[in-house]
């Protein structure tokens, strides 16, 4: 039985030695082990790669002096290894060793004592790697920690299932939720708009790699109450692959982004202002060559519609007959020839003959709601120049509280819209072209008088009118009003009043 037991023990020791050799050769770090007398007992494949000495050439040598270490450096290295045998834990040092071809290589080492079954020190092992490799690793770790703690860009690691795996603090603030609350959630739960573009970009990076330049994504967060719900994120993508795999296996995508909404809005507003200024300049140049002022008004309307609205209408006012003596007008606020400061228009004092200025003007000087006659209109079907309509004198049957009357009364601009529901018949009820859902009515003012109202309309493909749009429309309306006033606004709209000629 004894020989059989010894054979079994030898087989086990051989298997353990083979396993140990396989583990040593499979390590990413170089490793050398020394016995208590300094003899090299182990030398793995990575140590052979770095220094060039094979396992056969290294194992069995006493110390490193003369072949792997210069004599000038030998004392320090031997002292460090001896100290590691006497000290608990690991000792970190930097050594300069010699390669087989005579080059010096700076290595960072970790040394620790090797103890036998009874706790007695039987040797020391030394794991080492090139200093620049270790520094690269430390820099990579430091960079990752900095990106996820102090970076001014949002950083999100997206796994292969397109779900956030790691989120830095800045990204959490931009997204408006906690860092841990984002983990594992589908991107569609975070973004109301723009999620398709983002997921498409992530899938492209996983399949093809990082794009050559950053991209700008317009998104809308699902969180409510944002002043500007649409945000612009300048985004960059980097594909992550495992360094341990023989073939690159994508682990996910690093998504780096920065909120540039304010910058992009400023750029858009600046570009829009430049475009509108050029349109006004071009319209003025073309209108100056028109022999007919009414044609010049149509030119101003045509140039204003480009990039601004889908339809344009111009309605000119005619003054209704005076109310009977003693009657109260339904809506005294409307006055087609009002000067804007309570004074009568030039060309008609509004004061009965024989009355002194400032005295009671008497009956008949106030007028009811104006009659607005359609004078210019852009084609409702195919695009084309604004058409000058025949002067029939038939007013448009607007409802009493129509936005055109509100603009006329306020002598300014009035914005209106169908709202999110966009009910059918909204435009038809206001006598506007079908399909329009946003309206902007602007009073036509010239020489202190209100000549009528210009209306600009948008379809659902465009956003609602804002304050900047109203300012631009008022500038266009002033030019249209000047041209129509020159042409004889009252004559174009119908029968002129006595004091508006």
């Amino acid at each position: 039985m004894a020989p059989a037991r010894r054979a079994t023990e030898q087989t086990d020791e051989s298997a353990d030695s083979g396993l140990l050799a396989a583990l040593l050769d499979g390590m990413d770090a170089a490793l050398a082990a020394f016995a208590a007398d300094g003899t090299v007992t182990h030398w793995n494949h990575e140590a052979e790669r770095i220094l060039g000495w094979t396992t056969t050439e290294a194992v069995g040598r006493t110390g490193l002096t003369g072949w792997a270490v210069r004599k000038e450096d030998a004392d320090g290295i031997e002292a460090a290894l001896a100290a590691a045998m006497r000290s608990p834990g690991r000792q970190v040092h930097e050594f300069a060793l010699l390669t087989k071809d005579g080059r010096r290589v700076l290595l960072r080492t970790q040394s620790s004592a090797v103890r036998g079954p009874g706790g007695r020190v039987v040797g020391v092992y030394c794991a080492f790697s090139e200093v620049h490799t270790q520094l690269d690793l430390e820099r990579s770790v430091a960079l990752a920690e900095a990106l996820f703690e102090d970076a001014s860009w949002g950083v999100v690691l997206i796994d292969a299932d397109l779900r956030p795996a790691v989120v830095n603090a800045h990204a959490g603030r931009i997204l408006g939720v906690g860092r841990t609350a984002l983990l594992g959630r589908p991107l569609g739960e975070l973004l109301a708009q723009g999620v398709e573009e983002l997921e498409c970009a992530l899938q492209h990076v996983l399949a093809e790699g990082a794009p050559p330049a950053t991209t700008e994504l317009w998104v809308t967060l699902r969180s409510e109450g944002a002043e500007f719900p649409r945000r612009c994120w300048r985004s960059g993508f980097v594909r992550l692959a495992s360094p341990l795999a023989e073939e690159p296996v994508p682990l996910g995508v690093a998504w780096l982004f920065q909120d540039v909404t304010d910058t992009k809005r400023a750029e858009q507003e600046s570009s829009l202002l430049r475009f509108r200024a050029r349109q006004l300049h071009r319209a003025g140049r073309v209108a100056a060559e028109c022999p007919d002022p009414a044609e010049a008004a149509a030119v101003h309307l045509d140039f204003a519609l480009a990039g601004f609205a889908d339809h344009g209408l111009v309605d000119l006012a005619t003054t209704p007959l005076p109310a009977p003596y003693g009657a109260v007008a339904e809506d005294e606020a409307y006055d087609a020839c009002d000067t804007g400061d309570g004074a009568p228009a030039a060309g008609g004092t509004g004061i009965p003959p024989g009355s002194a200025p400032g005295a009671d003007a008497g009956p008949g000087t106030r007028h009811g709601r104006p009659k607005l006659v359609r004078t210019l209109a852009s084609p409702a079907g195919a695009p084309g120049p604004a058409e000058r309509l025949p002067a029939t004198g038939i007013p448009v049957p607007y409802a009493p509280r129509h936005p055109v009357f509100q603009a006329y009364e306020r002598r300014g601009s009035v914005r209106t819209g169908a709202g999110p529901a966009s009910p059918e018949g909204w435009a038809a009820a206001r006598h506007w072209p079908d399909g329009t859902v946003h309206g902007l009515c602007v009073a036509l003012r010239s020489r202190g008088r209100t000549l009528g109202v210009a209306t600009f309309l948008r379809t659902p493909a465009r956003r609602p009118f804002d304050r900047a749009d109203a300012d631009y429309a008022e500038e266009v309306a002033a030019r249209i009003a000047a041209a129509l006033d020159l042409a004889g606004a009252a004559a174009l709209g119908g029968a002129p009043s006595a004091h508006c000629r």
Side-chain angles (χ1 to χ4, degrees):
M1 295 295 293
R5 184 180 297 108
R6 284 195 298 269
T8 302
E9 292 176 354
Q10 291 175 358
T11 302
D12 293 342
E13 290 177 359
S14 177
D16 292 342
S17 299
L19 177 60
L20 178 60
L23 291 175
L24 293 178
D25 286 338
M27 291 177 59
D28 293 330
L31 185 137
F34 304 87
D37 60 357
T39 302
V40 179
T41 59
H42 296 84
W43 189 269
N44 74 345
H45 181 73
E46 186 67 12
E48 177 182 343
R49 186 193 66 81
I50 294 176
L51 297 177
W53 301 96
T54 65
T55 303
T56 304
E57 294 170 334
V59 173
R61 290 177 180 261
T62 302
L64 301 174
T65 306
W67 62 285
V69 176
R70 294 194 314 170
K71 293 181 180 180
E72 294 82 354
D73 301 328
D75 294 340
I77 294 176
E78 291 177 356
L81 293 176
M85 294 177 65
R86 298 189 301 266
S87 303
R90 293 180 297 175
Q91 303 292 317
V92 179
H93 302 280
E94 291 186 358
F95 296 149
L97 299 184
L98 288 176
T99 63
K100 189 175 182 178
D101 57 7
R103 294 181 298 108
R104 296 183 73 198
V105 180
L106 185 61
L107 305 175
R108 179 169 294 180
T109 66
Q110 294 185 8
S111 304
S112 179
V114 178
R115 301 183 183 276
R120 182 174 59 89
V121 176
V122 298
V124 63
Y125 79 87
C126 178
F128 57 92
S129 62
E130 296 176 84
V131 167
H132 69 84
T133 303
Q134 186 68 22
L135 289 177
D136 290 343
L137 176 61
E138 292 178 359
R139 291 191 186 103
S140 299
V141 174
L143 174 62
E145 292 180 352
L147 286 175
F148 287 103
E149 294 298 335
D150 306 322
S152 59
W153 282 62
V155 181
V156 180
L157 296 189
I158 306 294
D159 61 20
D161 295 328
L162 304 185
R163 295 173 182 248
V166 184
V167 181
N168 76 339
H170 191 77
R173 289 192 296 269
I174 293 178
L175 295 171
V177 294
R179 297 173 60 180
T180 57
L182 292 172
L183 304 183
R185 296 174 58 185
L187 296 174
E189 295 184 5
L190 305 175
L191 305 178
Q193 295 179 354
V195 64
E196 295 85 359
E197 292 81 358
L198 177 57
E199 289 183 345
C200 180
L202 294 172
Q203 291 172 350
H204 173 80
V205 174
L206 284 172
E208 304 293 338
T214 59
T215 184
E216 293 175 352
L217 300 174
W218 285 91
V219 302
T220 302
L221 297 175
R222 290 198 179 276
S223 57
E224 299 179 355
E227 181 180 359
F228 297 108
R230 293 189 72 236
R231 312 297 300 178
C232 181
W233 292 344
R234 181 170 295 154
S235 304
F237 303 92
V238 179
R239 183 170 64 178
L240 303 179
S242 173
L244 304 178
E246 295 182 1
E247 297 182 359
V249 178
L251 298 177
V253 178
W255 172 32
L256 296 86
F257 62 98
Q258 189 177 34
D259 194 328
V260 293
T261 306
D262 295 339
T263 302
K264 296 301 294 183
R265 290 189 184 278
E267 293 176 357
Q268 291 176 350
E269 291 175 1
S270 178
S271 176
L272 182 61
L273 288 176
R274 289 195 301 269
F275 173 75
R276 289 178 174 177
R278 287 196 299 267
Q279 287 296 98
L280 290 174
H281 174 73
R282 293 172 60 194
R285 294 290 299 272
V286 176
E289 302 300 326
C290 295
D292 184 359
E295 182 182 353
V299 166
H300 284 294
L301 181 62
D302 285 336
F303 276 89
L305 292 180
F308 179 68
D310 297 289
H311 303 285
L313 308 173
V314 173
D315 300 325
L316 294 182
T318 60
T319 307
L321 296 175
Y325 180 80
V328 179
E330 178 183 357
D331 195 344
E332 292 186 342
Y334 300 101
D335 186 353
C337 300
D338 189 43
T339 63
D341 57 0
T349 63
I351 303 175
S355 298
D360 184 8
T365 60
R366 289 289 183 179
H367 305 281
R369 183 183 302 109
K371 295 181 180 180
L372 297 176
V373 178
R374 184 69 46 82
T375 303
L376 297 174
S378 61
E387 301 174 351
R388 180 180 174 185
L389 304 181
T392 63
I394 301 176
V396 182
Y398 290 126
R401 298 309 302 170
H402 196 282
V404 295
F405 292 139
Q406 299 179 32
Y408 191 95
E409 177 183 1
R410 299 176 184 178
R411 303 166 191 168
S413 59
V414 173
R415 287 172 282 165
T416 184
S422 299
E424 295 183 3
W426 182 87
R430 288 156 180 78
H431 298 279
W432 287 339
D434 291 337
T436 56
V437 295
H438 309 299
L440 173 60
C441 301
V442 186
L444 298 174
R445 299 280 297 172
S446 177
R447 294 189 296 156
R449 302 173 303 164
T450 303
L451 303 182
V453 177
T455 301
F456 300 95
L457 301 169
R458 288 177 175 175
T459 59
R462 298 181 186 267
R463 59 174 176 78
F465 291 100
D466 56 18
R467 181 64 257 179
D469 296 330
D471 293 340
Y472 177 64
E474 290 173 0
E475 178 66 25
V476 173
R479 296 171 182 242
I480 294 175
L484 292 177
D485 191 15
L486 181 61
L492 290 174
S497 66
H499 64 286
C500 283
R501 282 196 293 263

